[in-house]
Amino acid sequence: MVNPHRKHIFSIHTGYYCSVIILSQISICSLFSMPPSDQFSKHPGAFPVATNGEPFPWRELRLPNMVIPLHYDLFVHPNLTSLDFVASEKIEILVRDAIQFIILHSKDLEIMNAALHSEEDLRYRKPGKKLNVLSYPAHQQIALLVPEKLMADLRYYVVIDFRAKLADGFEGFYKSTYRTLDGETRTIAVTHFEPTEARMAFPCFDEPLFKANFSIKIRRQRGHIALSNMPKIKTIELEGGLLEDHFETTVKMSTYLVAYIVCDFKSVSGTTSSGVKVSIYASPDKWSQTHYALEASLKLLAFYENYFDINYPLPKLDLVAIPDFGAGAMENWGLITYRETSLLFDPRTSSAFDKLWVTRVIAHELAHQWFGNLVTMEWWNDLWLKEGFATYMELISVNATYPELQIDNYFLNVCFEVIKRDSLNSSHPISNQAKTTTQIREMFDAVSYNKGACILNMLKDFLSEEKFQKGIIHYLKKFSFSNAKTDDLWSSLSNSCLEGDFTSGGFCYSDSKMTSNTLTFLGENVEVKEMMTTWTLQKGIPLVVVNQEGRSLRLRQERFLKGVFKEDHSWRVLQEGYLWHIPLTYSTSSSNGIHRYILKSKTDTLDLPEKTSWVKFNVDLNGYYIVHYEGHGWDQLITQLNQNHTLLKSKDKIDLIHDAFQLVNAGRLTLDKALDLTHYLQHETNVLAILKGLEYLESFYHMMDRRNISDVTENLKHYLLRYFKPVIDTQSWSDEGSLWDRMLRTALLKLACHLNYAPCIRKATELFSQWKESNGKLNIPTDVLKIVYSVGAQTTAGWNSLLKHYELSVSGAEKNKILYALSTSKHQEKLMKLIELGMEGKVIKTQDLASLLHAIARNPKGQQLAWNFVRENWTHLLEKFDLGSFAMRFIISGTTSHFSSKDELQEVQLFFESLNAQGSHLDAFQIVLETIPKNIEWLEKNLPTLRTWLLVKI
């Protein structure tokens, strides 16, 4: 819904702004009505100043649209010894409006020459016109000043020679290193351009809307290979033993998807039934770990081609494991890059969870070849159109290709995870304004990924799977090789149902008079756009309050807010203006069917056809909302769980556990009632329900342990070991069972050993001793490997031998397990050594520093150490990671968000204030500053209840 006062207010504001400015020498308003070239030539003083002191002819962060790129000819020659590169490019441009300058993005590149050619110049081989180059680093832009105006509707060619160092971090065209089994360090060169780093590798129109074709040539030494988005068409031998690879011209695509690599990797390949060659690349010593990725990629690519009814548009697809990688993976079209742990699978050391992770990440990146690459969002404010969809498609594709992984169980956690974030006032809408590069990077968060996926899953459940699939096929075909906005998706999903009229249980147009966004739902017209904008344009998650009175259900919707209680003054203010169109589902004790209703108003009433003892909303957890059952609602559900929990579906029981503890956070349910709900778990056989109950109880234990509340910590330990002892004692130290049986085994044995349960410590110590005696050759079951290493790391000899093995291991999965184990040491000097190794970046790679700091901060002996390190080394960390990167945000939240004392809060506030004063600001700061007070408040309100409840139970 659009604010009807918005345009009027803006008009008044603009008029006032202009009337004030007119009093000065330059009328800013008059500039808005002039073409950009005229603005610059007549009023150069109103523009920024370039590095050479001249006026820079463009003021905006976004590029002008008067010039658009059509084709890039790009030549790159990296030197892996001197760690730099020289390059040149020829950009074919189309001028839309007459203009006297061209604005490009460029960052940390030395421009040596720039020239402009007309089509006539190239046809008759005339020399081009030399261009004056101005630089404005604050906006990462350069201006090419042309001697004469470029004429509208004509094509020109910009030729630029440039050079730069290979970057040190994980962005642009950067260097990565790996050690061979012989101890030799080798260097490769690799690109990572998303979201705004193509400009670090070549001057370009570095925005998603400026799609073009790319022809790439790479010069290399004979001992290396070169990879790019497209297949290689020829290699030319040059003097001095150099080779130059020429690649096919790409399809039309955005700059952030361009990729090239120079390396010495080996590959394994296969071909899909549609003729696409798929190859998995890794460093030579890790080639044996590529085979599962090939199998998964072939199956998933074939699935997507069939599901989307659109063939993968390139002749080949390479997936490459990069030794140094900042994110999990990057979907470059035809050349997908991965962190090694996201692609490689070692049967000796990769656990059940590792297999699920690798499969999910491959599925995610392959989905991007359609969502993001084929159809790209117009701007980063709609990032969710690709990231939300790719996360959602993990669920659909892995369920179809690897049903044994039961990914729909994992998908519940995708939604639970983002609810933690979305229940804070510092959350943001799915479609959210992003202007600066830091703001753009911060869009890559749980809201764009997880919430995007969860509302798509909710919409699929509402429309039906068939209609939803038809809608996204319509969307992909309509906007292929182009860009789209969120509204385009809603239109396509509305237009997906063209077969006929409404029939019972379905969704379709009832007559030709209905608007393009209207569906019929249970005989009632439903505006898809109107409904879904309530989920994309406002932040937060709704709370549905249900009050059952006989056969009548009174419904009320509110905004759910963690740590904000109804009696608080701020509660009413934070509720204002929030209203969702919620597609409700519910079941009752007297009916197995799923009932549906759309709640569009603040309050409503439903009449049940018959009397029922309980009602359960959000069937199978397909909806994105929390439910509170007022009156006797919770008591009736708890009674049912204790009497016969099998009458409720597995996912509904998990939902009840989740919602109960979330409601404690909002003061709607007492902690003892939520804890009482978990009591039925002693009779539960569903793995996910046990894991969910265990998760909350374990989180309370860790909170008490970190705060050194020793009496509650000890009582929780006794309760957990007594309550879960029967299921702990039945666990084998093996890799047997289904994926989720194995996940339960890992969780239970990890907890048992952490709580010093004697049988667990004894078995883990025995296995670790055998492993040490075999010099690390013994194959310990992968699901208990981390547990065995963690127990072994508690002695100095064990810790030292693990660190030595860490250096030698060629398995990323094993290295992760060892690093976690090392971080559990009770000795601060050992923890500090790990941090120093992570900063040095040789033994422990810099890419793993963020997760290392997070792990150490979760160790009661390391939490203050990690926090102090971040404060004292902030500048050094910014030299390694960009301010808005995943790593820096994870470091900030990982070392502070678990704090729960006023002294800790004051320390964090003072530190963030000092950073803001230096010009460093992140949304992550506000998230932390909202989270810590809520942790403090939770303890104040619930610690006495928890203490009393435990005394009764033990």
Side-chain angles (χ1 to χ4, degrees):
M1 182 184 294
V2 177
N3 183 344
H5 305 294
R6 188 174 182 182
K7 187 174 181 181
H8 178 62
I9 293 169
F10 179 76
S11 300
I12 294 170
H13 173 77
T14 305
Y16 172 73
Y17 176 73
C18 294
S19 68
V20 173
I21 298 299
I22 284 170
L23 299 176
S24 65
Q25 291 181 344
I26 301 167
S27 169
I28 299 294
C29 279
S30 67
L31 298 185
F32 295 146
S33 60
M34 293 182 190
S37 292
D38 294 340
Q39 293 178 24
F40 176 59
S41 59
K42 293 185 178 180
H43 305 288
F47 286 81
V49 178
T51 52
N52 66 353
E54 295 182 26
F56 191 82
W58 188 249
R59 293 173 300 193
E60 307 298 325
L61 280 167
R62 295 282 298 271
L63 297 182
N65 60 5
M66 289 83 72
V67 176
I68 58 171
L70 302 174
H71 182 270
Y72 294 76
D73 266 307
L74 179 62
F75 162 81
V76 184
H77 180 196
N79 187 319
L80 300 187
T81 303
S82 57
L83 302 178
D84 54 16
F85 67 93
V86 294
S88 63
E89 66 181 349
K90 180 177 72 177
I91 312 174
E92 180 184 355
I93 60 171
L94 175 65
V95 177
R96 285 175 161 173
D97 296 307
I99 195 168
Q100 204 151 357
F101 55 81
I102 301 165
I103 307 296
L104 295 168
H105 285 114
S106 179
K107 181 184 177 186
D108 299 334
L109 300 174
E110 182 187 348
I111 310 296
M112 296 180 288
N113 295 296
L116 181 74
H117 298 260
S118 66
E119 289 190 298
E120 183 182 341
D121 291 339
L122 290 183
R123 190 179 305 120
Y124 297 107
R125 298 191 176 182
K126 293 181 180 180
K129 298 178 177 66
K130 187 174 176 61
L131 298 175
N132 185 22
V133 182
L134 301 180
S135 177
Y136 188 49
H139 289 178
Q140 300 174 359
Q141 293 172 355
I142 58 172
L144 307 178
L145 305 184
V146 297
E148 299 171 4
K149 263 193 180 180
L150 302 180
M151 303 307 293
D153 302 321
L154 292 183
R155 296 187 182 200
Y156 295 86
Y157 299 84
V158 177
V159 178
I160 305 175
D161 299 322
F162 55 97
R163 62 188 176 194
K165 300 290 288 183
L166 289 171
D168 286 325
F170 307 97
E171 299 168 338
F173 193 23
Y174 70 94
K175 64 178 183 289
S176 173
T177 61
Y178 72 93
R179 285 182 63 190
T180 67
L181 287 174
D182 297 330
E184 178 191 354
T185 298
R186 295 184 181 176
T187 302
I188 69 168
V190 59
T191 59
H192 183 95
F193 293 160
E194 188 182 37
T196 58
E197 276 70 53
R199 64 194 69 174
M200 293 176 67
F202 58 98
C204 56
F205 298 81
D206 200 11
E207 294 178 5
L209 200 57
F210 290 115
K211 290 193 170 188
N213 304 99
F214 297 81
S215 299
I216 295 173
K217 303 179 184 71
I218 299 175
R219 195 168 289 180
R220 60 177 171 87
Q221 292 182 323
R222 193 174 295 276
H224 292 122
I225 60 169
L227 303 170
S228 190
N229 303 85
M230 299 296 288
K232 184 173 65 176
I233 49 178
K234 67 178 178 179
T235 299
I236 299 173
E237 293 206 22
L238 305 171
E239 292 181 5
L242 290 175
L243 302 175
E244 188 173 287
D245 294 328
H246 294 211
F247 296 88
E248 284 184 26
T249 300
T250 70
V251 295
K252 192 178 178 185
M253 65 186 195
S254 304
T255 48
Y256 77 89
L257 295 170
V258 175
Y260 38 90
I261 301 170
V262 176
C263 63
D264 61 347
F265 288 179
K266 292 186 176 179
S267 66
V268 59
S269 300
T271 306
T272 66
S273 57
S274 60
V276 179
K277 183 182 178 183
V278 178
S279 302
I280 316 296
Y281 286 85
S283 59
D285 294 334
K286 298 178 181 178
W287 176 84
S288 62
Q289 301 173 41
T290 59
H291 300 284
Y292 176 70
L294 178 63
E295 173 205 305
S297 300
L298 290 168
K299 289 175 74 169
L300 287 161
L301 194 63
F303 169 81
Y304 283 136
E305 288 188 318
N306 179 64
Y307 186 88
F308 296 138
D309 193 32
I310 301 171
N311 281 343
Y312 173 74
L314 307 187
K316 66 93 176 174
L317 176 61
D318 298 332
L319 296 81
V320 188
I322 306 299
D324 299 279
F325 202 78
M330 175 57 210
E331 68 266 20
N332 315 300
W333 214 345
L335 183 61
I336 308 176
T337 45
Y338 292 78
R339 187 179 283 228
E340 289 180 332
T341 50
S342 299
L343 184 66
L344 304 181
F345 182 83
D346 177 14
R348 289 182 63 253
T349 59
S350 297
S351 65
F353 183 80
D354 293 328
K355 189 169 194 176
L356 177 61
W357 170 252
V358 168
T359 313
R360 283 181 52 224
V361 179
I362 292 172
H364 185 103
E365 303 310 322
L366 263 59
H368 273 316
Q369 307 303 296
W370 286 265
F371 283 101
N373 299 9
L374 185 66
V375 180
T376 311
M377 66 276 148
E378 284 192 3
W379 184 245
W380 301 104
N381 63 304
D382 277 335
L383 175 69
W384 85 279
L385 282 178
K386 74 182 189 74
E387 295 302 349
F389 254 111
T391 306
Y392 168 76
M393 288 309 301
E394 293 174 28
L395 169 68
I396 303 303
S397 62
V398 177
N399 248 343
T401 53
Y402 289 93
E404 69 275 14
L405 296 183
Q406 297 174 286
I407 194 175
D408 52 331
N409 291 338
Y410 182 84
F411 191 77
L412 303 181
N413 288 325
V414 169
C415 300
F416 291 155
E417 192 61 36
V418 71
I419 286 171
K420 295 175 189 174
R421 169 82 172 90
D422 215 20
S423 61
L424 299 175
N425 192 45
S426 54
S427 186
H428 64 81
I430 288 178
S431 290
N432 196 41
Q433 189 178 60
K435 292 182 178 180
T436 69
T437 55
T438 297
Q439 288 170 344
I440 290 167
R441 286 189 184 95
E442 286 198 283
M443 285 295 292
F444 289 77
D445 68 355
V447 174
S448 296
Y449 285 70
N450 299 33
K451 185 177 180 180
C454 296
I455 69 162
L456 288 171
N457 186 56
M458 179 173 67
L459 183 58
K460 179 262 296 181
D461 183 63
F462 168 71
L463 292 176
S464 84
E465 192 155 353
E466 179 188 1
K467 302 298 188 297
F468 184 82
Q469 182 181 355
K470 286 180 179 177
I472 61 176
I473 290 171
H474 181 271
Y475 168 80
L476 289 171
K477 289 185 173 180
K478 182 174 182 180
F479 296 99
S480 286
F481 303 104
S482 186
N483 299 78
K485 303 184 296 294
T486 294
D487 282 357
D488 297 321
L489 174 64
W490 304 147
S491 295
S492 291
L493 285 165
S494 300
N495 287 320
S496 65
C497 189
L498 303 171
E499 304 81 36
D501 295 333
F502 171 80
T503 55
S504 178
F507 306 83
C508 219
Y509 297 107
S510 60
D511 62 56
S512 60
K513 298 175 185 176
M514 297 174 71
T515 68
S516 63
N517 278 328
T518 307
L519 296 176
T520 299
F521 169 67
L522 302 179
E524 179 186 352
N525 291 348
V526 177
E527 284 276 353
V528 172
K529 178 182 174 182
E530 183 184 2
M531 179 174 83
M532 293 311 297
T533 51
T534 70
W535 298 94
T536 57
L537 296 185
Q538 61 183 352
K539 63 184 177 182
I541 179 170
L543 171 67
V544 176
V545 182
V546 181
N547 196 326
Q548 184 180 352
E549 297 177 3
R551 287 170 49 186
S552 179
L553 294 177
R554 297 183 183 277
L555 306 178
R556 183 171 79 250
Q557 66 162 287
E558 302 169 3
R559 180 186 175 196
F560 179 78
L561 288 160
K562 179 181 178 181
V564 182
F565 305 100
K566 210 166 182 180
E567 59 269 23
D568 295 347
H569 170 72
S570 60
W571 185 85
R572 190 170 300 279
V573 175
L574 292 171
Q575 295 291 328
E576 288 177 4
Y578 284 86
L579 181 70
W580 286 267
H581 290 191
I582 310 172
L584 299 174
T585 56
Y586 62 96
S587 61
T588 69
S589 61
S590 54
S591 169
N592 290 327
I594 299 175
H595 307 276
R596 297 178 181 271
Y597 185 75
I598 301 177
L599 181 62
K600 296 182 180 180
S601 55
K602 284 283 188 183
T603 60
D604 210 337
T605 303
L606 281 176
D607 292 322
L608 299 173
E610 54 191 326
K611 194 173 181 182
T612 181
S613 59
W614 53 261
V615 61
K616 164 67 179 67
F617 276 77
N618 200 4
V619 178
D620 278 335
L621 264 167
N622 284 314
Y624 187 73
Y625 53 92
I626 291 171
V627 185
H628 177 41
Y629 303 92
E630 283 189 333
H632 298 294
W634 277 107
D635 292 331
Q636 290 164 337
L637 286 163
I638 291 170
T639 299
Q640 181 62 66
L641 288 171
N642 287 321
Q643 289 179 351
N644 183 6
H645 67 85
T646 61
L647 288 184
L648 284 157
K649 294 183 176 183
S650 296
K651 290 181 181 178
D652 286 336
K653 289 182 282 188
I654 297 161
D655 182 36
L656 288 174
I657 296 169
H658 170 265
D659 284 4
F661 284 102
Q662 293 303 311
L663 290 164
V664 172
N665 294 336
R668 297 303 180 90
L669 208 61
T670 59
L671 178 60
D672 53 351
K673 181 149 295 192
L675 289 167
D676 286 343
L677 185 150
T678 66
H679 196 66
Y680 96 94
L681 288 172
Q682 60 190 317
H683 307 296
E684 181 62 86
T685 56
N686 179 266
V687 170
L688 262 79
I690 297 170
L691 282 171
K692 180 50 68 175
L694 184 65
E695 175 190 322
Y696 284 109
L697 292 167
E698 194 174 352
S699 71
F700 299 153
Y701 172 82
H702 289 306
M703 180 188 288
M704 300 302 131
D705 192 24
R706 283 194 296 267
R707 283 297 306 276
N708 197 27
I709 306 172
S710 55
D711 64 317
V712 181
T713 304
E714 279 301 305
N715 287 342
L716 259 171
K717 172 183 172 178
H718 292 314
Y719 177 78
L720 283 164
L721 287 177
R722 194 182 76 182
Y723 192 70
F724 287 99
K725 184 179 185 299
V727 68
I728 289 171
D729 288 345
T730 60
Q731 300 304 312
S732 65
W733 292 67
S734 69
D735 287 339
E736 296 170 357
S738 70
L739 180 131
W740 287 96
D741 289 336
R742 295 172 65 183
M743 300 267 267
L744 179 65
R745 174 185 302 127
T746 300
L748 286 169
L749 293 179
K750 180 185 172 189
L751 174 65
C753 280
H754 184 81
L755 297 178
N756 287 315
Y757 181 50
C760 187
I761 297 292
R762 192 163 50 245
K763 181 65 176 179
T765 303
E766 176 191 332
L767 285 171
F768 187 74
S769 297
Q770 293 172 3
W771 175 82
K772 267 188 75 179
E773 288 168 10
S774 72
N775 290 320
K777 300 289 192 296
L778 177 71
N779 286 343
I780 297 173
T782 60
D783 296 332
V784 297
L785 193 55
K786 182 192 285 189
I787 301 159
V788 171
Y789 286 163
S790 297
V791 171
Q794 301 315 306
T795 68
T796 296
W799 195 90
N800 289 334
S801 64
L802 281 167
L803 182 58
K804 183 178 179 182
H805 189 71
Y806 180 89
E807 292 187 56
L808 299 173
S809 176
V810 293
S811 164
E814 181 179 38
K815 288 169 87 83
N816 275 354
K817 294 173 180 65
I818 294 173
L819 196 57
Y820 171 81
L822 294 171
S823 76
T824 63
S825 172
K826 304 295 189 293
H827 300 285
Q828 289 196 343
E829 69 275 8
K830 289 183 170 61
L831 301 178
M832 195 64 224
K833 182 176 181 179
L834 293 177
I835 294 174
E836 289 167 356
L837 289 172
M839 287 295 284
E840 184 185 44
K842 293 179 181 177
V843 175
I844 298 174
K845 283 191 168 286
T846 303
Q847 67 176 8
D848 298 317
L849 181 59
S851 56
L852 173 63
L853 286 167
H854 179 275
I856 291 174
R858 291 303 183 270
N859 179 344
K861 298 296 184 183
Q863 57 181 347
Q864 196 62 40
L865 183 76
W867 167 230
N868 289 341
F869 176 82
V870 170
R871 284 189 293 175
E872 293 163 10
N873 293 273
W874 181 258
T875 305
H876 297 305
L877 289 169
L878 280 179
E879 291 169 359
K880 296 181 179 296
F881 308 108
D882 186 87
L883 179 64
S885 64
F886 282 121
M888 286 304 286
R889 286 180 279 147
F890 195 50
I891 287 170
I892 292 162
S893 64
T895 56
T896 59
S897 60
H898 59 286
F899 285 161
S900 55
S901 74
K902 291 178 180 177
D903 288 344
E904 290 167 329
L905 174 60
Q906 187 176 17
E907 285 182 4
V908 173
Q909 286 173 328
L910 289 171
F911 180 59
F912 287 172
E913 284 170 12
S914 72
L915 295 181
N916 284 329
Q918 298 168 28
S920 295
H921 177 74
L922 287 174
D923 289 344
F925 296 169
Q926 191 55 44
I927 297 168
V928 169
L929 290 174
E930 186 178 358
T931 300
I932 298 175
K934 295 187 188 308
N935 294 343
I936 295 168
E937 191 170 26
W938 191 96
L939 266 178
E940 289 174 350
K941 285 183 176 290
N942 295 297
L943 180 57
T945 304
L946 179 59
R947 182 177 272 126
T948 303
W949 187 87
L950 284 168
L951 288 172
V952 171
K953 295 298 177 182
I954 63 171

